[in-house]
Amino acid sequence: MISGHVDFYPNRGEDMPGCITATCSHLKVPFFYAESVNNNKYLAVMCSDWDTFIRGGCVNNPTTYMGYWTPTNVRGNYYLTTNAFYSYAKDAAEITPP
């Protein structure tokens, strides 16, 4: 059996908004997944790297949902930003960086 391979990098995959420690950032990940079960708004954009994503260089690339609603056939690296506090998910119009 072949399983899918996709990597998500919310907020660059490093420091999460609203956190001042790495421990806090890691603790938010289960909350993202739990929220994704009832809220499929974790829309992410396929991109080669964070810098290209944050500059808006991937706006026409494929998108997919991070979390519970991720299709099993998705491949690649996907980037997105989240809110600092609940609800962490952003609306689809907000997935493009500022």
Side-chain angles (χ1 to χ4, degrees):
M1 180 170 87
I2 298 173
S3 60
H5 184 75
V6 60
D7 293 310
F8 291 98
Y9 297 93
N11 310 306
R12 192 179 202 155
E14 295 176 1
D15 298 325
M16 299 297 155
C19 287
I20 58 172
T21 67
T23 301
C24 171
S25 292
H26 288 286
L27 292 174
K28 279 195 176 182
V29 173
F31 290 101
F32 293 168
Y33 186 82
E35 186 180 17
S36 78
V37 173
N38 293 320
N39 176 356
N40 64 346
K41 290 186 176 182
Y42 282 101
L43 193 59
V45 178
M46 180 186 260
C47 202
S48 58
D49 58 72
W50 176 260
D51 291 332
T52 304
F53 166 73
I54 208 70
R55 286 192 316 265
C58 304
V59 294
N60 294 318
N61 289 4
T63 60
T64 194
Y65 289 104
M66 177 183 80
Y68 183 80
W69 297 101
T70 304
T72 58
N73 64 340
V74 174
R75 308 279 192 278
N77 295 325
Y78 287 79
Y79 295 83
L80 68 152
T81 58
T82 65
N83 295 317
F85 303 101
Y86 186 84
S87 166
Y88 299 106
K90 292 187 174 187
D91 291 326
E94 297 179 285
I95 64 166
T96 29

Coordinates of all heavy atoms in Angstrom, one line a residue:
M1 N 0.8 -1.2 0.0 CA 0.0 0.0 0.0 C 0.9 1.2 0.0 O 1.9 1.3 0.7 CB -0.9 0.0 1.2 CG -1.8 1.2 1.3 SD -3.0 1.1 2.6 CE -2.1 1.7 4.0
I2 N 0.5 2.2 -0.8 CA 1.3 3.5 -0.9 C 0.5 4.5 -0.1 O -0.7 4.6 -0.3 CB 1.4 4.0 -2.3 CG1 2.2 2.9 -3.1 CG2 2.1 5.3 -2.4 CD1 2.3 3.2 -4.6
S3 N 1.1 5.3 0.8 CA 0.5 6.3 1.5 C 0.9 7.7 1.0 O 2.0 7.8 0.4 CB 0.7 6.2 3.0 OG 2.1 6.3 3.2
G4 N 0.1 8.7 1.1 CA 0.4 10.0 0.6 C 1.6 10.6 1.4 O 1.9 10.2 2.5
H5 N 2.2 11.6 0.8 CA 3.2 12.4 1.4 C 3.0 13.9 1.2 O 3.1 14.3 0.1 CB 4.6 11.9 0.9 CG 5.7 12.6 1.6 ND1 6.1 12.3 2.9 CD2 6.5 13.6 1.3 CE1 7.0 13.0 3.3 NE2 7.3 13.9 2.4
V6 N 2.7 14.5 2.3 CA 2.5 16.0 2.2 C 3.0 16.6 3.5 O 2.9 16.0 4.6 CB 1.0 16.3 2.0 CG1 0.1 15.8 3.1 CG2 0.8 17.8 1.8
D7 N 3.6 17.7 3.4 CA 4.1 18.4 4.6 C 3.5 19.8 4.6 O 3.4 20.5 3.6 CB 5.6 18.6 4.5 CG 6.4 17.3 4.6 OD1 6.1 16.5 5.5 OD2 7.2 17.0 3.8
F8 N 3.0 20.1 5.8 CA 2.4 21.5 6.1 C 3.3 22.3 7.0 O 3.9 21.8 7.9 CB 1.0 21.3 6.7 CG 0.0 20.7 5.8 CD1 -0.3 19.3 5.9 CD2 -0.7 21.5 4.9 CE1 -1.2 18.8 5.0 CE2 -1.6 20.9 4.0 CZ -1.9 19.6 4.1
Y9 N 3.4 23.5 6.6 CA 4.2 24.5 7.4 C 3.4 25.7 7.8 O 3.5 26.7 7.2 CB 5.4 24.9 6.6 CG 6.3 23.8 6.2 CD1 6.2 23.1 5.0 CD2 7.3 23.4 7.1 CE1 7.0 22.1 4.7 CE2 8.2 22.3 6.8 CZ 8.0 21.7 5.6 OH 8.8 20.6 5.3
P10 N 2.5 25.5 8.9 CA 1.8 26.7 9.4 C 2.8 27.6 10.0 O 3.6 27.2 10.8 CB 0.8 26.1 10.4 CG 1.4 24.8 10.8 CD 2.2 24.3 9.6
N11 N 2.7 28.9 9.6 CA 3.5 29.9 10.2 C 5.0 29.6 10.1 O 5.7 29.8 11.1 CB 3.1 30.2 11.7 CG 1.6 30.4 11.8 OD1 1.1 31.2 11.2 ND2 1.0 29.6 12.6
R12 N 5.4 29.1 9.0 CA 6.8 28.7 8.7 C 7.1 27.4 9.4 O 8.3 26.9 9.3 CB 7.8 29.8 9.0 CG 9.1 29.5 8.5 CD 10.1 30.6 8.8 NE 11.2 30.6 7.9 CZ 11.9 31.6 7.6 NH1 11.7 32.8 8.2 NH2 12.9 31.5 6.7
G13 N 6.2 26.8 10.2 CA 6.5 25.6 10.9 C 7.4 25.8 12.1 O 8.0 24.9 12.7
E14 N 7.5 27.1 12.5 CA 8.4 27.4 13.6 C 7.5 28.1 14.7 O 6.6 27.5 15.3 CB 9.5 28.3 13.1 CG 10.5 27.5 12.2 CD 11.6 28.4 11.6 OE1 11.6 29.6 11.9 OE2 12.3 27.9 10.8
D15 N 7.8 29.4 15.0 CA 7.2 30.1 16.1 C 5.7 30.4 15.7 O 5.5 31.0 14.7 CB 7.9 31.4 16.4 CG 9.3 31.1 16.9 OD1 9.5 30.0 17.6 OD2 10.2 31.8 16.6
M16 N 4.8 30.0 16.5 CA 3.4 30.2 16.3 C 3.0 31.6 16.9 O 3.4 31.9 17.9 CB 2.5 29.1 16.9 CG 2.8 27.7 16.3 SD 2.4 27.6 14.6 CE 3.5 26.3 14.1
P17 N 2.1 32.3 16.2 CA 1.6 33.5 16.7 C 1.0 33.3 18.1 O 0.3 32.3 18.3 CB 0.5 34.0 15.7 CG 0.9 33.2 14.5 CD 1.5 32.0 14.9
G18 N 1.2 34.2 19.0 CA 0.7 34.1 20.4 C 1.5 33.3 21.3 O 1.2 33.1 22.5
C19 N 2.7 32.8 20.8 CA 3.6 32.0 21.6 C 4.9 32.7 21.8 O 5.4 33.4 20.9 CB 3.9 30.6 21.0 SG 2.5 29.5 21.0
I20 N 5.5 32.5 23.0 CA 6.8 33.1 23.2 C 7.9 32.0 23.4 O 9.1 32.3 23.6 CB 6.8 34.1 24.3 CG1 6.4 33.5 25.6 CG2 6.0 35.3 24.0 CD1 6.5 34.3 26.9
T21 N 7.4 30.7 23.5 CA 8.4 29.6 23.6 C 8.1 28.5 22.6 O 7.0 28.4 22.0 CB 8.2 29.0 25.0 OG1 6.9 28.3 25.1 CG2 8.4 30.0 26.1
A22 N 9.1 27.7 22.3 CA 9.0 26.6 21.4 C 8.0 25.6 21.9 O 7.2 25.0 21.1 CB 10.3 25.9 21.1
T23 N 7.9 25.4 23.2 CA 7.0 24.5 23.8 C 5.6 24.9 23.5 O 4.7 24.0 23.1 CB 7.2 24.4 25.3 OG1 8.5 24.0 25.6 CG2 6.2 23.4 26.0
C24 N 5.3 26.1 23.6 CA 3.9 26.6 23.3 C 3.6 26.3 21.8 O 2.5 25.9 21.5 CB 3.8 28.1 23.6 SG 2.3 28.9 23.0
S25 N 4.5 26.6 20.9 CA 4.3 26.4 19.5 C 4.0 24.9 19.2 O 3.1 24.6 18.5 CB 5.6 26.8 18.7 OG 5.7 28.2 18.7
H26 N 4.7 24.0 19.8 CA 4.4 22.6 19.6 C 3.1 22.2 20.2 O 2.4 21.3 19.7 CB 5.6 21.7 20.2 CG 6.8 21.8 19.5 ND1 7.0 21.2 18.2 CD2 8.0 22.4 19.7 CE1 8.2 21.4 17.8 NE2 8.8 22.2 18.7
L27 N 2.7 22.8 21.3 CA 1.4 22.4 21.9 C 0.2 22.9 21.1 O -0.9 22.4 21.3 CB 1.4 23.0 23.3 CG 2.3 22.4 24.3 CD1 2.3 23.1 25.7 CD2 2.0 20.9 24.5
K28 N 0.4 23.8 20.2 CA -0.7 24.3 19.4 C -1.1 23.3 18.3 O -2.3 23.3 17.9 CB -0.4 25.7 18.8 CG -0.6 26.8 19.7 CD -0.6 28.1 19.0 CE -1.0 29.3 20.0 NZ -1.1 30.5 19.3
V29 N -0.2 22.5 17.9 CA -0.5 21.6 16.7 C -1.7 20.7 17.0 O -2.5 20.6 16.1 CB 0.8 20.8 16.4 CG1 0.5 19.8 15.3 CG2 1.9 21.7 15.9
P30 N -1.8 20.1 18.1 CA -3.0 19.3 18.3 C -4.3 20.1 18.3 O -5.4 19.6 17.8 CB -2.8 18.6 19.7 CG -1.4 18.7 20.0 CD -0.9 19.9 19.2
F31 N -4.2 21.3 18.7 CA -5.4 22.2 18.6 C -5.8 22.5 17.2 O -7.0 22.6 16.8 CB -5.2 23.5 19.4 CG -5.2 23.3 20.9 CD1 -4.0 23.2 21.5 CD2 -6.3 23.1 21.6 CE1 -3.9 23.0 22.9 CE2 -6.3 22.9 23.0 CZ -5.1 22.9 23.6
F32 N -4.8 22.7 16.3 CA -5.1 22.9 14.9 C -5.8 21.7 14.3 O -6.8 21.8 13.6 CB -3.8 23.1 14.1 CG -3.0 24.3 14.4 CD1 -1.7 24.4 13.9 CD2 -3.5 25.4 15.1 CE1 -0.9 25.6 14.1 CE2 -2.8 26.5 15.3 CZ -1.5 26.6 14.9
Y33 N -5.3 20.5 14.6 CA -6.0 19.3 14.1 C -7.4 19.1 14.6 O -8.3 18.9 13.9 CB -5.2 18.0 14.4 CG -5.8 16.8 13.7 CD1 -5.5 16.5 12.4 CD2 -6.6 16.0 14.4 CE1 -6.0 15.5 11.7 CE2 -7.2 14.9 13.7 CZ -6.9 14.6 12.4 OH -7.5 13.6 11.8
A34 N -7.5 19.3 15.9 CA -8.9 19.2 16.5 C -9.8 20.2 15.9 O -11.0 19.9 15.6 CB -8.8 19.4 18.0
E35 N -9.4 21.4 15.7 CA -10.3 22.4 15.1 C -10.6 22.1 13.7 O -11.7 22.3 13.2 CB -9.6 23.8 15.2 CG -10.5 24.9 14.7 CD -9.9 26.3 14.7 OE1 -8.6 26.4 14.8 OE2 -10.7 27.3 14.6
S36 N -9.7 21.4 13.0 CA -9.9 21.1 11.6 C -11.0 20.0 11.4 O -11.6 20.0 10.3 CB -8.6 20.5 10.9 OG -8.3 19.2 11.3
V37 N -11.3 19.2 12.4 CA -12.3 18.2 12.2 C -13.7 18.9 12.0 O -14.4 18.5 11.1 CB -12.4 17.4 13.5 CG1 -13.6 16.4 13.5 CG2 -11.1 16.6 13.7
N38 N -14.0 20.0 12.6 CA -15.3 20.7 12.5 C -15.2 21.9 11.6 O -16.2 22.5 11.3 CB -15.9 21.0 13.8 CG -16.2 19.8 14.6 OD1 -16.8 18.9 14.1 ND2 -16.0 19.8 15.9
N39 N -13.9 22.3 11.2 CA -13.7 23.5 10.5 C -12.7 23.3 9.5 O -11.5 23.3 9.8 CB -13.3 24.6 11.5 CG -13.0 25.9 10.9 OD1 -13.0 26.1 9.7 ND2 -12.6 26.9 11.7
N40 N -13.1 23.1 8.2 CA -12.1 22.8 7.2 C -11.5 24.0 6.5 O -11.4 24.1 5.4 CB -12.7 21.8 6.1 CG -13.8 22.4 5.4 OD1 -14.4 23.4 5.8 ND2 -14.2 21.8 4.3
K41 N -11.2 25.0 7.4 CA -10.7 26.3 6.8 C -9.2 26.4 6.9 O -8.6 27.5 6.7 CB -11.3 27.5 7.6 CG -12.8 27.7 7.3 CD -13.3 28.9 8.0 CE -14.7 29.2 7.6 NZ -15.2 30.4 8.3
Y42 N -8.5 25.3 7.2 CA -7.0 25.4 7.2 C -6.5 25.2 5.8 O -5.9 24.2 5.4 CB -6.5 24.3 8.1 CG -6.5 24.7 9.5 CD1 -7.5 24.1 10.4 CD2 -5.6 25.5 10.1 CE1 -7.6 24.5 11.7 CE2 -5.6 25.9 11.4 CZ -6.6 25.3 12.2 OH -6.7 25.7 13.6
L43 N -6.8 26.1 4.9 CA -6.4 26.1 3.5 C -5.0 26.5 3.4 O -4.6 27.5 3.9 CB -7.3 27.0 2.7 CG -7.3 26.8 1.2 CD1 -7.7 25.4 0.8 CD2 -8.2 27.8 0.5
A44 N -4.2 25.6 2.7 CA -2.8 25.8 2.5 C -2.4 25.9 1.0 O -3.1 25.3 0.2 CB -2.0 24.7 3.2
V45 N -1.4 26.5 0.7 CA -0.9 26.7 -0.7 C 0.4 26.0 -0.9 O 1.3 26.1 -0.1 CB -0.7 28.2 -1.0 CG1 -0.2 28.4 -2.4 CG2 -1.9 29.0 -0.7
M46 N 0.4 25.2 -2.0 CA 1.7 24.5 -2.4 C 2.7 25.6 -2.8 O 2.4 26.5 -3.5 CB 1.4 23.6 -3.6 CG 2.7 22.8 -4.0 SD 2.4 21.9 -5.5 CE 2.2 20.3 -4.7
C47 N 3.9 25.4 -2.2 CA 4.9 26.4 -2.5 C 6.3 25.8 -2.3 O 6.4 24.8 -1.6 CB 4.8 27.6 -1.6 SG 5.5 29.1 -2.3
S48 N 7.3 26.3 -2.9 CA 8.7 25.8 -2.8 C 9.3 26.1 -1.4 O 10.1 25.3 -0.9 CB 9.5 26.3 -3.9 OG 9.6 27.7 -3.8
D49 N 9.0 27.2 -0.8 CA 9.5 27.6 0.4 C 8.7 28.7 1.1 O 7.9 29.4 0.4 CB 11.0 28.0 0.3 CG 11.2 29.1 -0.7 OD1 10.9 30.3 -0.4 OD2 11.7 28.9 -1.8
W50 N 9.0 29.0 2.3 CA 8.3 30.0 3.1 C 8.5 31.4 2.5 O 7.6 32.2 2.4 CB 8.7 30.0 4.6 CG 8.1 31.1 5.4 CD1 8.6 32.3 5.7 CD2 6.7 31.1 5.9 NE1 7.7 33.0 6.4 CE2 6.6 32.3 6.5 CE3 5.7 30.2 5.8 CZ2 5.4 32.6 7.2 CZ3 4.5 30.5 6.5 CH2 4.3 31.7 7.1
D51 N 9.7 31.7 2.2 CA 10.0 33.1 1.7 C 9.2 33.4 0.4 O 8.7 34.5 0.2 CB 11.5 33.3 1.4 CG 12.3 33.3 2.7 OD1 11.7 33.7 3.8 OD2 13.5 32.9 2.7
T52 N 9.1 32.4 -0.5 CA 8.4 32.6 -1.7 C 6.9 32.8 -1.4 O 6.2 33.6 -1.9 CB 8.6 31.4 -2.7 OG1 10.0 31.3 -3.0 CG2 7.8 31.6 -4.0
F53 N 6.4 31.9 -0.5 CA 5.0 32.0 0.0 C 4.7 33.4 0.6 O 3.7 34.0 0.2 CB 4.7 30.9 1.0 CG 3.4 31.1 1.8 CD1 2.2 30.8 1.1 CD2 3.4 31.5 3.1 CE1 1.0 31.0 1.8 CE2 2.3 31.7 3.8 CZ 1.0 31.4 3.2
I54 N 5.5 33.8 1.5 CA 5.2 35.1 2.2 C 5.3 36.3 1.3 O 4.7 37.3 1.5 CB 6.1 35.2 3.4 CG1 5.5 36.0 4.5 CG2 7.5 35.8 3.1 CD1 4.3 35.4 5.2
R55 N 6.1 36.2 0.2 CA 6.1 37.3 -0.8 C 5.0 37.2 -1.8 O 4.9 38.0 -2.7 CB 7.5 37.2 -1.6 CG 8.7 37.7 -0.8 CD 9.9 37.8 -1.7 NE 10.1 36.8 -2.7 CZ 10.9 35.7 -2.5 NH1 11.6 35.6 -1.4 NH2 11.0 34.8 -3.4
G56 N 4.1 36.2 -1.7 CA 3.0 36.1 -2.6 C 3.3 35.4 -3.9 O 2.5 35.5 -4.8
G57 N 4.4 34.7 -3.9 CA 4.8 34.0 -5.2 C 4.1 32.7 -5.5 O 4.5 32.1 -6.5
C58 N 3.1 32.3 -4.7 CA 2.5 31.0 -4.9 C 1.0 31.1 -5.0 O 0.3 30.1 -4.9 CB 2.9 30.1 -3.7 SG 4.6 29.9 -3.5
V59 N 0.5 32.3 -5.2 CA -1.0 32.5 -5.1 C -1.8 31.7 -6.2 O -2.9 31.5 -5.9 CB -1.4 34.0 -5.2 CG1 -0.9 34.8 -4.0 CG2 -0.8 34.7 -6.5
N60 N -1.1 31.4 -7.3 CA -1.9 30.6 -8.3 C -1.6 29.1 -8.2 O -2.0 28.4 -9.1 CB -1.5 31.1 -9.7 CG -2.0 32.6 -9.9 OD1 -3.1 32.9 -9.5 ND2 -1.2 33.4 -10.4
N61 N -0.9 28.7 -7.2 CA -0.5 27.3 -7.0 C -1.7 26.5 -6.4 O -2.6 27.1 -5.9 CB 0.7 27.1 -6.1 CG 2.0 27.6 -6.7 OD1 2.0 28.1 -7.9 ND2 3.1 27.5 -6.0
P62 N -1.6 25.2 -6.5 CA -2.7 24.3 -5.9 C -2.8 24.6 -4.4 O -1.9 24.9 -3.8 CB -2.2 22.9 -6.2 CG -1.2 23.0 -7.3 CD -0.6 24.4 -7.2
T63 N -4.0 24.3 -3.9 CA -4.3 24.5 -2.5 C -4.9 23.2 -2.0 O -5.4 22.4 -2.8 CB -5.3 25.6 -2.2 OG1 -6.5 25.3 -2.9 CG2 -4.8 27.0 -2.7
T64 N -4.8 23.0 -0.7 CA -5.5 21.8 -0.1 C -5.7 22.2 1.4 O -5.2 23.2 1.9 CB -4.6 20.5 -0.2 OG1 -5.4 19.4 0.1 CG2 -3.4 20.6 0.7
Y65 N -6.5 21.3 2.0 CA -6.8 21.6 3.5 C -5.8 20.8 4.3 O -5.5 19.6 4.1 CB -8.2 21.2 3.8 CG -9.2 22.1 3.2 CD1 -10.0 21.7 2.1 CD2 -9.4 23.3 3.7 CE1 -10.9 22.6 1.5 CE2 -10.4 24.2 3.2 CZ -11.1 23.8 2.1 OH -12.0 24.7 1.5
M66 N -5.3 21.5 5.4 CA -4.5 20.8 6.4 C -5.3 20.2 7.5 O -6.3 20.8 7.9 CB -3.5 21.9 7.0 CG -2.6 21.3 8.1 SD -1.6 22.5 8.9 CE -2.8 23.3 10.1
G67 N -5.0 19.0 7.9 CA -5.7 18.4 9.1 C -6.6 17.3 8.6 O -6.3 16.5 7.7
Y68 N -7.7 17.2 9.3 CA -8.6 16.1 9.1 C -9.1 16.0 7.6 O -9.3 14.8 7.2 CB -9.8 16.3 10.0 CG -10.8 15.2 9.9 CD1 -10.6 14.0 10.7 CD2 -12.0 15.3 9.2 CE1 -11.5 12.9 10.6 CE2 -12.9 14.2 9.1 CZ -12.7 13.1 9.8 OH -13.6 12.0 9.8
W69 N -9.2 17.1 6.9 CA -9.8 17.0 5.6 C -8.7 17.0 4.5 O -9.0 17.1 3.3 CB -10.7 18.3 5.4 CG -11.8 18.2 6.3 CD1 -12.0 19.0 7.5 CD2 -13.0 17.4 6.2 NE1 -13.2 18.6 8.1 CE2 -13.8 17.7 7.3 CE3 -13.4 16.5 5.3 CZ2 -15.0 17.1 7.5 CZ3 -14.7 15.9 5.5 CH2 -15.5 16.2 6.6
T70 N -7.5 16.7 4.8 CA -6.4 16.6 3.8 C -6.7 15.3 3.0 O -6.8 14.2 3.5 CB -5.0 16.4 4.4 OG1 -4.8 17.5 5.3 CG2 -4.0 16.3 3.4
P71 N -6.9 15.5 1.6 CA -7.1 14.3 0.8 C -5.8 13.4 0.8 O -4.7 13.8 1.0 CB -7.2 14.9 -0.6 CG -7.6 16.3 -0.4 CD -7.0 16.7 0.9
T72 N -6.0 12.1 0.7 CA -4.9 11.1 0.9 C -4.0 11.1 -0.3 O -2.9 10.6 -0.2 CB -5.5 9.7 1.0 OG1 -6.3 9.4 -0.1 CG2 -6.3 9.6 2.3
N73 N -4.4 11.7 -1.5 CA -3.5 11.7 -2.6 C -2.7 13.0 -2.8 O -2.0 13.1 -3.8 CB -4.4 11.5 -3.9 CG -5.4 12.7 -4.1 OD1 -5.7 13.4 -3.2 ND2 -5.8 12.8 -5.3
V74 N -2.7 13.9 -1.8 CA -2.0 15.1 -1.9 C -0.5 14.9 -1.7 O -0.1 14.1 -0.8 CB -2.6 16.2 -0.9 CG1 -1.7 17.4 -0.9 CG2 -4.0 16.5 -1.2
R75 N 0.3 15.6 -2.5 CA 1.8 15.5 -2.3 C 2.3 16.9 -2.3 O 1.8 17.8 -3.0 CB 2.4 14.7 -3.5 CG 1.8 13.4 -3.8 CD 2.4 12.3 -2.9 NE 2.0 11.0 -3.3 CZ 0.9 10.4 -3.0 NH1 -0.1 11.0 -2.4 NH2 0.7 9.1 -3.4
G76 N 3.5 17.1 -1.7 CA 4.2 18.4 -1.8 C 4.3 19.1 -0.4 O 3.8 18.6 0.6
N77 N 4.8 20.3 -0.5 CA 5.0 21.2 0.6 C 3.9 22.3 0.5 O 3.8 23.0 -0.5 CB 6.4 21.8 0.7 CG 7.4 20.7 0.9 OD1 7.2 19.7 1.6 ND2 8.6 20.9 0.3
Y78 N 3.2 22.5 1.6 CA 2.1 23.5 1.7 C 2.3 24.4 2.9 O 2.7 24.0 3.9 CB 0.8 22.8 1.8 CG 0.3 22.1 0.5 CD1 0.9 20.9 0.2 CD2 -0.6 22.7 -0.3 CE1 0.5 20.2 -1.0 CE2 -1.0 22.1 -1.5 CZ -0.4 20.9 -1.8 OH -0.8 20.3 -3.0
Y79 N 2.0 25.7 2.6 CA 2.2 26.7 3.6 C 0.9 27.5 3.9 O 0.1 27.6 3.0 CB 3.3 27.7 3.1 CG 4.6 27.1 2.9 CD1 5.0 26.3 1.8 CD2 5.6 27.2 3.9 CE1 6.2 25.7 1.7 CE2 6.8 26.6 3.8 CZ 7.1 25.9 2.7 OH 8.4 25.3 2.6
L80 N 0.8 28.0 5.1 CA -0.3 28.7 5.5 C 0.0 29.5 6.8 O 1.0 29.2 7.4 CB -1.5 27.8 5.8 CG -1.5 26.9 7.0 CD1 -2.9 26.7 7.5 CD2 -0.8 25.6 6.7
T81 N -0.8 30.5 7.0 CA -0.7 31.3 8.3 C -1.9 31.0 9.1 O -3.0 30.6 8.6 CB -0.5 32.8 8.0 OG1 -1.6 33.2 7.3 CG2 0.8 33.1 7.3
T82 N -1.8 31.2 10.4 CA -2.9 31.0 11.3 C -3.1 32.2 12.2 O -2.2 33.0 12.3 CB -2.7 29.7 12.2 OG1 -1.6 30.0 13.1 CG2 -2.5 28.5 11.4
N83 N -4.2 32.2 12.8 CA -4.5 33.3 13.8 C -3.7 32.9 15.1 O -3.4 31.8 15.4 CB -6.0 33.4 14.1 CG -6.7 33.9 12.9 OD1 -6.3 34.8 12.2 ND2 -7.8 33.3 12.6
A84 N -3.5 33.9 16.0 CA -2.7 33.7 17.2 C -3.6 33.0 18.2 O -3.0 32.2 19.1 CB -2.3 35.0 17.8
F85 N -4.9 33.1 18.2 CA -5.8 32.5 19.2 C -7.0 31.9 18.5 O -7.2 32.1 17.3 CB -6.2 33.6 20.2 CG -5.1 34.3 20.9 CD1 -4.6 35.5 20.4 CD2 -4.4 33.7 21.9 CE1 -3.6 36.1 21.0 CE2 -3.3 34.3 22.5 CZ -2.9 35.5 22.1
Y86 N -7.7 31.1 19.2 CA -8.9 30.4 18.7 C -9.9 31.4 18.1 O -10.1 32.4 18.7 CB -9.6 29.6 19.8 CG -10.7 28.7 19.3 CD1 -10.4 27.5 18.7 CD2 -12.0 29.2 19.3 CE1 -11.4 26.7 18.2 CE2 -13.0 28.4 18.8 CZ -12.7 27.2 18.2 OH -13.7 26.4 17.7
S87 N -10.4 31.2 17.0 CA -10.2 30.2 16.0 C -8.9 30.4 15.3 O -8.7 31.5 14.7 CB -11.4 30.2 15.1 OG -11.2 29.5 13.9
Y88 N -8.1 29.4 15.3 CA -6.8 29.5 14.6 C -6.9 29.6 13.1 O -6.1 30.2 12.5 CB -5.9 28.3 15.0 CG -5.6 28.3 16.5 CD1 -6.2 27.3 17.3 CD2 -4.8 29.2 17.1 CE1 -6.0 27.3 18.7 CE2 -4.5 29.2 18.5 CZ -5.1 28.2 19.3 OH -4.9 28.2 20.6
A89 N -7.9 28.9 12.6 CA -8.0 28.8 11.1 C -8.4 30.2 10.5 O -9.2 30.9 11.2 CB -9.1 27.8 10.7
K90 N -7.9 30.5 9.4 CA -8.2 31.7 8.7 C -9.2 31.4 7.5 O -9.2 30.3 7.0 CB -7.0 32.4 8.1 CG -6.1 32.9 9.2 CD -4.9 33.7 8.6 CE -4.1 34.4 9.7 NZ -3.1 35.3 9.1
D91 N -10.0 32.4 7.1 CA -10.8 32.2 6.0 C -10.0 32.1 4.7 O -8.8 32.5 4.7 CB -11.8 33.4 5.8 CG -12.8 33.4 6.9 OD1 -13.2 32.4 7.4 OD2 -13.2 34.5 7.4
A92 N -10.5 31.5 3.7 CA -9.8 31.3 2.4 C -9.2 32.6 1.9 O -8.1 32.5 1.4 CB -10.7 30.6 1.4
A93 N -9.9 33.7 2.0 CA -9.4 34.9 1.5 C -8.1 35.4 2.3 O -7.4 36.2 1.7 CB -10.4 36.0 1.6
E94 N -7.9 34.8 3.4 CA -6.7 35.3 4.2 C -5.5 34.4 4.1 O -4.5 34.6 4.7 CB -7.1 35.2 5.7 CG -8.2 36.2 6.1 CD -8.5 36.1 7.6 OE1 -9.2 35.1 8.0 OE2 -8.1 37.0 8.3
I95 N -5.6 33.3 3.2 CA -4.4 32.4 3.1 C -3.2 33.1 2.5 O -2.1 32.7 2.7 CB -4.7 31.1 2.4 CG1 -5.1 31.3 1.0 CG2 -5.7 30.3 3.2 CD1 -5.1 30.0 0.2
T96 N -3.5 34.1 1.6 CA -2.4 34.7 1.0 C -1.7 35.7 2.0 O -2.4 36.3 2.8 CB -2.8 35.6 -0.2 OG1 -4.1 36.0 -0.1 CG2 -2.7 34.8 -1.5
P97 N -0.4 35.7 2.1 CA 0.3 36.5 3.1 C 0.0 38.0 2.9 O -0.4 38.4 1.8 CB 1.7 36.2 2.8 CG 1.8 35.3 1.7 CD 0.5 35.0 1.2
P98 N 0.2 38.8 4.0 CA 0.0 40.2 3.9 C 0.9 40.9 2.9 O 1.9 40.4 2.5 CB 0.3 40.7 5.3 CG 1.1 39.6 6.0 CD 0.8 38.3 5.2

